Amino acid sequence: MIELSDTFIFDTMLKSSSLLGLSAGMLGVVISYQRRSIEINALAAGSFVGILVFYLLAGVGIYLSSYFSGEIDKYVFSFTGSIFGALFMIILLNILYKTDRLHMHIIQSLMTAVMLGVGITLITYIRQTGGALDSGIEIYLFGETTSLNSEEFDFLRIIAVAAVVLLLLYFRRLKIVIFNKDIARTTHFHVSFYYTLINIMVICLVAFSIKIMGVFLTVAIFLIPAVTARLWSNRLFIIMILAGVFGAVSGTLGTIVSGTLGNMTLGIAITLILAVFFLASLIISPYKGLAGKLIKYMR
Amino acid sequence: MFSMEFEIVIVIILSAITCSIPGAFLVMRKNYYAADTANRSAMLGIAIALIFSSFLSSPLVIVLGSLTAILGMYLVKKIKGLTHFRAKGISIIVSSTLLCFGILIASNISLNNSAEFDLSIIYLGDTAFTSFNRLRIAGIDIGSYAFYSILIIMIINIIIVMVYYKEFKIDGVDKYYAASIEMKEETIDFILVIMTALSVSVSFQTAGIFMTSAFILGPAAAALFYTKRLSTLAIVSVFLSSIACLVGFSIAWPAEVSISGAIVSFIGILFILSVLFAPEEGIIKKYFDYLAEQKKLDEYIILDILNTQSIDTSSSALIERLAKSLNWKFLRVSYLVNKLKADKMLEEVNGYIYLTLEGKYEIDKFMKTQNCFH
């Protein structure tokens, strides 16, 4: 581990996963109070498809611009692909929500599975045609310890810090928008602005966390810190700070565990550590855990 | 016995039907987290079972997979009772934890010493692979092993549905009535979870473990836009899933891409199309209905003004005055007035506009139905 901690890759991954954990944990509180937590699953699957479609476009020979061709091209392609995929998915879901015949969650979990199906069809197609592009696709399924390069790390740093700052800056307005949309509308501030802000942050963070966590476990880093923090308190600001702390600590520990053991990908390590946090809080938390119940019972 | 393509198609259609039977009742009962939780937590049982056997469709895999799926649902219920959080969030935590353990065991222990398949077969699914494991009785080849295991689970599902159909129906439509006649909701939940877990753990070998939730929910959710009866819902969803299987297979087989992926994509297209364009419940039909309703309401407003207010109704000044006082556009008002004239609601006598008897009858009938004006 001491040898590892000197290397550039380990340093980058440690910083990036802790930053991602911090921002995603804080944003996850907002999302889980909006009852949209399973939508993250669908967005991750959508951005997975977006990456594959952009890979295919690059293979055919269509490039974004002449400026991006060369070494940097693959990373820019994958990042823009994941952004566009998540954007497409959020638009499609918002169209499908307009029906009153189905519950929102059914649509979300169905579209997740459908997008995974499209992605897997595309993977088999890419593998069959061969070429240089077929390597490095499967890291998106369960995450990879060394998946980010330094340009992407710069992107992630900007986006994560911006998300945290914006969440703290607009905290009071966001609280009203989340809990009571009607009051927010009648007090004349732009509800749609805050919705769009949340959506933009979600899309950007999902596009990164699909690389670190993998498609299937992206929802874990958004949701589990929020639920764990809810076990400790009932005030929104404290929950948000606690969720950020849980996310950051688990991101750091997960990188160390995954780097030390070697046969465990980063997404799995982070999820297991988050699950350990949840279980521990369920037992020892004085507010809603078993210990709190025992104390109340003793009195 | 038969050609390879025919056997593959039969296996896929059987597994799709097996999945879509519990799906119809899941969609009906709004028990939406069951499918996702079942398929993610079945991974652990499948991974443990693959240590001991190298068959993907051996009974051990089915039993252990459905046991861990039921364990996942049980944990969700217990933690929900402890903390009073919503079940969806807890189901994500439980299922992703079990999924992680499953992947760890599968990639590090169970698939290490088998050269036959790797981890990707569990989450991608390989339908062509199922026809290589043959079942032999006294040396005679009588079909693939997967065919018989899926057939048995399908028969179990159909028998469960036949026996408990009335309970499913009452509990799905009206929960309070079901509680008042002392029907145990937990029993029905448990039966549905068993059905879902069995279907997931038998059909993961053809569909891939994450796409089984599309097989379960997709056909039922698409069928919900065409029918309102529960029995027809089940039949239509079975029909839709078999159509999707045939089309997906016929696209995927010549192009040599993943068969289950193509089927699931086709199910998705079917679902999106039926949400948008369904003849009675679709979004676009509802939107045009809404527009027509608004237009009708505008007509009633003009009729009501002419009926109750005593204003100068000379045809040259009326449209301008209405447009000014209602703050509508001139063209809109003149269009509405002309349309009402064509419908014989209004008539023009000596340059003045009056209500006809028909128009008076119409507006009176409308106002009587609006309870707020009385």
Side-chain angles (χ1 to χ4, degrees):
Chain A
M1 202 190 108
I2 299 161
E3 292 170 28
L4 266 176
S5 61
D6 288 339
T7 58
F8 170 74
I9 293 172
F10 186 77
D11 199 38
T12 312
M13 287 315 290
L14 196 67
K15 279 177 193 164
S16 59
S17 56
S18 56
L19 269 178
L20 180 75
L22 176 70
S23 50
M26 286 175 79
L27 191 60
V29 177
V30 176
I31 291 164
S32 65
Y33 272 107
Q34 278 187 323
R35 300 196 182 197
R36 284 169 52 190
S37 51
I38 193 66
E39 196 178 306
I40 303 292
N41 249 336
L43 291 186
S47 62
F48 173 56
V49 173
I51 290 171
L52 293 177
V53 167
F54 270 63
Y55 264 118
L56 275 179
L57 288 183
V60 169
I62 304 166
Y63 290 100
L64 284 181
S65 71
S66 56
Y67 176 74
F68 285 130
S69 60
E71 182 74 10
I72 196 175
D73 194 74
K74 189 180 161 192
Y75 304 106
V76 171
F77 254 101
S78 66
F79 184 59
T80 40
S82 54
I83 293 260
F84 273 104
L87 191 67
F88 169 75
M89 202 63 209
I90 224 168
I91 292 169
L92 181 65
L93 282 176
N94 277 322
I95 292 170
L96 292 183
Y97 288 158
K98 289 207 170 74
T99 179
D100 54 349
R101 198 95 173 106
L102 278 174
H103 196 277
M104 217 163 100
H105 289 154
I106 292 181
I107 298 174
Q108 285 160 1
S109 57
L110 177 57
M111 289 316 288
T112 310
V114 167
M115 277 295 152
L116 285 177
V118 175
I120 282 164
T121 317
L122 287 178
I123 278 186
T124 46
Y125 179 71
I126 291 172
R127 238 188 230 156
Q128 187 207 118
T129 49
L133 287 176
D134 74 338
S135 64
I137 286 170
E138 281 186 338
I139 67 162
Y140 295 114
L141 289 176
F142 292 109
E144 184 92 351
T145 319
T146 57
S147 56
L148 293 188
N149 62 343
S150 59
E151 287 92 358
E152 281 174 321
F153 175 56
D154 289 341
F155 270 134
L156 175 62
R157 197 159 47 180
I158 294 165
I159 287 170
V161 171
V164 171
V165 168
L166 283 174
L167 279 176
L168 291 178
L169 202 65
Y170 290 116
F171 176 73
R172 297 185 56 159
R173 290 284 174 93
L174 276 177
K175 193 161 80 177
I176 302 172
V177 170
I178 293 164
F179 281 112
N180 205 332
K181 206 172 159 184
D182 297 330
I183 286 181
R185 279 219 180 102
T186 46
T187 41
H188 296 294
F189 56 82
H190 300 290
V191 180
S192 60
F193 167 73
Y194 294 97
Y195 271 67
T196 319
L197 187 72
I198 295 170
N199 280 345
I200 289 171
M201 288 194 284
V202 167
I203 287 173
C204 290
L205 284 179
V206 163
F208 272 112
S209 61
I210 188 178
K211 285 199 147 178
I212 296 176
M213 298 289 290
V215 181
F216 306 116
L217 300 173
T218 306
V219 69
I221 203 170
F222 281 88
L223 185 72
I224 301 181
V227 180
T228 312
R230 181 72 181 83
L231 285 170
W232 289 90
S233 171
N234 60 351
R235 303 201 48 187
L236 188 66
F237 188 73
I238 298 173
I239 290 175
M240 209 178 240
I241 298 297
L242 272 180
V245 170
F246 281 134
V249 170
S250 65
T252 315
L253 286 181
T255 318
I256 292 171
V257 167
S258 137
T260 316
L261 289 183
N263 53 1
M264 193 189 267
T265 61
L266 187 53
I268 292 174
I270 291 177
T271 311
L272 286 181
I273 285 166
L274 280 170
V276 168
F277 276 155
F278 177 73
L279 201 64
S281 330
L282 196 65
I283 293 167
I284 63 169
S285 155
Y287 173 58
K288 267 200 168 182
L290 288 175
K293 281 204 172 161
L294 200 66
I295 291 167
K296 267 180 202 161
Y297 184 74
M298 297 287 267
R299 279 174 190 167
Chain B
M1 199 159 57
F2 299 110
S3 66
M4 190 176 163
E5 287 90 345
F6 184 75
E7 276 189 0
I8 292 172
V9 169
I10 291 293
V11 166
I12 300 170
I13 289 179
L14 279 185
S15 71
I17 289 172
T18 313
C19 283
S20 65
I21 290 168
F25 301 104
L26 282 183
V27 169
M28 196 66 192
R29 294 193 71 236
K30 298 192 168 54
N31 200 349
Y32 34 78
Y33 56 90
D36 266 2
T37 316
N39 65 24
R40 274 159 172 72
S41 32
M43 182 85 185
L44 177 60
I46 291 165
I48 292 172
L50 284 180
I51 299 175
F52 304 110
S53 87
S54 57
F55 267 117
L56 278 180
S57 53
S58 72
L60 189 68
V61 173
I62 295 169
V63 169
L64 274 182
S66 43
L67 273 182
T68 43
I70 291 167
L71 172 78
M73 297 298 290
Y74 178 76
L75 279 178
V76 170
K77 267 218 166 126
K78 274 287 154 195
I79 298 176
K80 194 193 171 197
L82 212 62
T83 56
H84 304 290
F85 290 163
R86 273 180 225 117
K88 188 76 210 180
I90 299 167
S91 88
I92 288 173
I93 295 176
V94 169
S95 60
S96 54
T97 312
L98 292 182
L99 173 72
C100 284
F101 281 121
I103 294 164
L104 275 184
I105 291 174
S107 60
N108 289 330
I109 303 171
S110 41
L111 298 177
N112 256 4
N113 43 12
S114 80
E116 292 176 21
F117 41 73
D118 58 343
L119 184 60
S120 70
I121 199 165
I122 295 178
Y123 55 78
L124 298 185
D126 202 343
T127 324
F129 198 81
T130 57
S131 67
F132 293 134
N133 283 325
R134 314 298 298 186
L135 187 64
R136 286 189 176 80
I137 293 179
I140 304 162
D141 189 354
I142 58 164
S144 66
Y145 202 91
F147 172 76
Y148 288 99
S149 62
I150 292 174
L151 191 68
I152 288 168
I153 301 294
M154 193 184 84
I155 289 168
I156 291 175
N157 270 354
I158 288 176
I159 288 172
I160 290 176
V161 168
M162 297 276 235
V163 173
Y164 290 100
Y165 179 74
K166 206 180 95 190
E167 281 81 358
F168 281 141
K169 193 171 170 180
I170 292 173
D171 197 66
V173 175
D174 195 346
K175 267 188 185 171
Y176 301 105
Y177 177 65
S180 71
I181 59 171
E182 295 184 355
M183 201 186 276
K184 285 267 170 58
E185 196 195 333
E186 288 192 4
T187 324
I188 297 168
D189 240 3
F190 185 64
I191 293 165
L192 255 182
V193 167
I194 287 178
M195 276 167 70
T196 317
L198 280 177
S199 333
V200 164
S201 53
V202 78
S203 62
F204 83 95
Q205 49 184 327
T206 56
I209 195 123
F210 300 107
M211 287 183 279
T212 45
S213 69
F215 272 68
I216 288 172
L217 295 175
L224 205 63
F225 287 87
Y226 300 109
T227 174
K228 281 180 178 169
R229 295 176 62 92
L230 185 58
S231 52
T232 22
L233 178 70
I235 294 167
V236 170
S237 63
V238 165
F239 176 71
L240 283 181
S241 60
S242 358
I243 295 242
C245 285
L246 286 177
V247 174
F249 179 79
S250 59
I251 291 170
W253 188 252
E256 291 183 27
V257 294
S258 163
I259 296 169
S260 51
I263 292 170
V264 168
S265 319
F266 189 74
I267 287 177
I269 292 169
L270 213 62
F271 171 71
I272 292 171
L273 285 184
S274 50
V275 170
L276 292 179
F277 300 110
E280 282 184 10
E281 300 283 345
I283 291 174
I284 291 176
K285 172 78 167 49
K286 289 244 161 130
Y287 180 67
F288 279 113
D289 281 358
Y290 169 77
L291 282 189
E293 219 167 76
Q294 288 294 315
K295 205 174 263 178
K296 201 80 189 161
L297 209 63
D298 291 350
E299 288 176 14
Y300 281 131
I301 287 172
I302 289 179
L303 283 182
D304 187 43
I305 289 172
L306 286 172
N307 193 18
T308 53
Q309 312 288 327
S310 52
I311 49 172
D312 176 26
T313 62
S314 62
S315 63
S316 55
L318 176 71
I319 294 171
E320 211 159 314
R321 187 170 297 180
L322 280 177
K324 205 172 178 187
S325 58
L326 289 171
N327 203 6
W328 287 356
K329 276 180 184 156
F330 183 82
L331 271 177
R332 185 175 162 196
V333 177
S334 68
Y335 168 75
L336 285 171
V337 168
N338 283 334
K339 188 160 180 286
L340 284 171
K341 268 183 201 164
D343 289 346
K344 306 259 173 69
M345 304 274 186
L346 301 179
E347 61 183 354
E348 194 172 345
V349 182
N350 300 334
Y352 285 89
I353 289 175
Y354 298 105
L355 275 178
T356 58
L357 279 177
E358 203 175 328
K360 209 156 206 161
Y361 173 71
E362 189 80 7
I363 187 69
D364 282 345
K365 205 175 81 180
F366 175 72
M367 295 306 267
K368 263 172 201 163
T369 57
Q370 307 294 313
N371 292 319
C372 55
F373 293 123
H374 287 281

